[in-house]
Structure formats: C-alpha cells, structure tokens
Amino acid sequence: MARTIAVSGSASGIGEALAGMLRDAGDTVIGIDLRDADVRADLSVPEGRASAVAQTLERCGGRLDAVVACAGVSDFTVMPVKVNFFGAVELLDGLRPALAAAGAPRAAVVGSISGTHPVDDDVVRACLAGDEPAALAAAEKAERSGAGGLLYPSSKAALAQWMRRVCVTPGWAGAGIPLNAIAPGVVRTPMTAPLFADEAMVQVMNEAVPMPLNGHAGPEVIAEALRWLISPANTHMTGQVVYVDGGAEATLRGA
Ligand code: NAI
C-alpha cells in the first residue's frame, strides 16, 4: 500500500537515494531540504524547523506513515549541533502527532560511526537537556579552542542517545512508532566528495573508520537499510543504532 513519507536531506546523497527508492515503489515522498525539495526550510534554526514542520503537516494533511531525519552537515563549526541534533529532534518532535495518526507509523534518524568517536561532553549534555543556547555556547567554546573536530561526533552521539531515551516513552513506543537509527561508516556522497579528492584525507578517514567489509558504501546501501527500518515489516525493533559501516564499529569497539 502506498505510504506518505517525509525525508529531510532529500536533495542530496543518502536522503536523495532514499526518496528516489520510495517514489519508485509508489510512495508519496515529502522531501525537506534547503533547496530542490517539496518543503524548503533551514533546519539549522528554530524558525526554519517550525516552518518545515508546518509545511510538511499541510502537505500530508496531518497524517504521515514515516519520517526519516537524514539532513546533516559535517564540519568543525557549531552547524552539526544545529542541524544534525536540533534539526533532527525538532523535526521528529513536530511531526510525531502526524505519525501517531497513521496506522503503522515508523521513524528513523541517520546517526554515524562518528557517534562512537570522542565527544565534547558539555555539548552532548546540553543537547540531551534540550538546551540549544547552552549547546551552542559549549560548541562555540570548543570551536574557538581548536576542538571543533569533536562537534560532528558530539551531534551524532547526542542524537543516538536522545533516540534511545525517547523511543520507549508513551509518545513513541506507546503510540506504536518504532524509532531507530542507521549509523553509516564512510559513504560516497557530496558530503564526503572533498575528502575523497584528497589522498591524505582518504588515509586519515580509513584509519578513523576502517571498513574491512566491501569498503566505502554508496548512498543506496544506507537508503536500503533505512527503507527496512521504516517499513511496515518492522513491528518490534526500536531504539537501535544499526551500524551499516563495513565492519568499522566491530573493528573499533571489538567484543
Ligand atoms: P549530503 O551533503 O549529500 O546531503 C545532506 C543534505 O542535507 C543536503 O541535501 C543538504 O542540503 C541538507 N541540509 C544540510 N543542512 C541543512 C539545513 N540547515 N536545512 C535543511 N537541509 C539541510 O550528505 P549525506 O552524505 O547524504 O549525509 C546524509 C546524512 O548521513 C547526514 O546526516 C550525515 O551526517 C550522515 N552521514 C553521512 C556519512 C557519509 O560518509 N556521507 C557518514 C555517516 C553519516
């Protein structure tokens, strides 16, 4: 049966691959992105997130079968905290009532293997407290002190922890909504294109994210995994961070 599914980050990479697959299967996709999308909105700021929620609710008529929060940025500034954490959380929170109105609702976020890397504890703590000003103040401090590299991992670690906390609450599990994360390793998308263009960076990347099983993935690999998580077949998996990473997490964390 055709479903209506909101996908953020639908204009590029993993989100674009997922949106294409869903549309090919006959689903109605509401793409959310800065550009080239059904809903154009900036998820880095509260008013942009509110606009994304309002526009999506209007398009779906208050009933959504699934939401995938895929939009993200990777740099050494405060942006990952704004987009990857607060952008995803506020989008999901805002669309949750529309999910609860559907017969077999599903939700997923896109985490990262980076969520297992070292983080800035103050940033993660403030994110989990839902305190964006405090999270951004801590992130700016990290950026100024040359620790901006911790901010992307912090945003993804916080997102995974938020997901695990809320997934079992009345608003999610109690409303019949599985909520999970796919955590990719390194994926060939426009996000990583500049890294692949630099031999030295590829070396650094391969050391930080070793992928013994089939190497770097294409975006369709991650999209396929997301597709199952949000399918009606997933009736009982919730709160899981599923690493689709060519063995990186198993290599790094072992037994
Ligand atoms: P991408 O750069 O190809 O696509 C990201 C999309 O998010 C773009 O269309 C962009 O416009 C959108 N976006 C960025 N900021 C936004 C904002 N403020 N408001 C609305 N939309 C915004 O990147 P990719 O690789 O497809 O990444 C998708 C997700 O996967 C991200 O959350 C990323 O952190 C995650 N990821 C990617 C990995 C990789 O190796 N490419 C590895 C692990 C996680």
Side-chain angles (χ1 to χ4, degrees):
M1 203 176 73
R3 300 158 82 220
T4 301
I5 300 172
V7 178
S8 75
S10 59
S12 176
I14 296 166
E16 184 182 19
L18 176 64
M21 270 180 198
L22 295 170
R23 285 193 178 112
D24 287 348
D27 291 324
T28 298
V29 174
I30 302 174
I32 305 167
D33 209 304
L34 288 168
R35 62 193 157 77
D36 302 332
D38 307 296
V39 167
R40 283 188 296 280
D42 181 356
L43 295 170
S44 72
V45 290
E47 51 280 18
R49 297 166 200 149
S51 165
V53 168
Q55 291 184 65
T56 304
L57 290 177
E58 197 179 319
R59 281 185 171 260
C60 73
R63 187 182 172 286
L64 265 179
D65 295 293
V67 177
V68 178
C70 184
V73 289
S74 172
D75 62 28
F76 287 13
T77 74
V78 300
M79 284 304 277
V81 176
K82 291 181 166 192
V83 179
N84 304 359
F85 183 79
F86 288 100
V89 167
E90 287 184 18
L91 185 70
L92 283 164
D93 277 343
L95 295 178
R96 199 189 49 75
L99 288 169
R106 308 283 182 260
V109 299
V110 179
S112 171
I113 183 67
S114 300
T116 66
H117 290 162
V119 299
D120 182 309
D121 291 328
D122 290 340
V123 172
V124 173
R125 204 174 301 118
C127 284
L128 291 174
D131 188 342
E132 189 167 8
L136 295 182
E140 273 159 18
K141 192 171 156 201
E143 193 184 336
R144 275 197 309 273
S145 67
L150 296 177
L151 297 175
Y152 180 78
S154 301
S155 72
K156 295 297 190 180
L159 184 61
Q161 289 179 51
W162 171 84
M163 183 274 294
R164 287 182 60 80
R165 281 185 186 186
V166 304
C167 71
V168 287
T169 59
W172 292 93
I177 315 169
L179 172 61
N180 293 281
I182 293 294
V186 177
V187 188
R188 289 184 181 274
T189 68
M191 178 182 278
T192 49
L195 304 176
F196 278 110
D198 179 343
E199 258 312 308
M201 274 315 300
V202 174
Q203 193 94 19
V204 171
M205 224 160 43
N206 288 343
E207 272 161 33
V209 185
M211 298 177 70
L213 176 69
N214 291 330
H216 307 125
E220 69 288 348
V221 172
I222 311 304
E224 277 291 2
L226 285 163
R227 193 150 77 133
W228 186 82
L229 280 187
I230 60 162
S231 72
N234 178 21
T235 54
H236 282 75
M237 183 196 284
T238 198
Q240 301 306 304
V241 179
V242 182
Y243 292 91
V244 181
D245 65 355
E249 191 268 345
T251 304
L252 295 169
R253 299 214 282 202

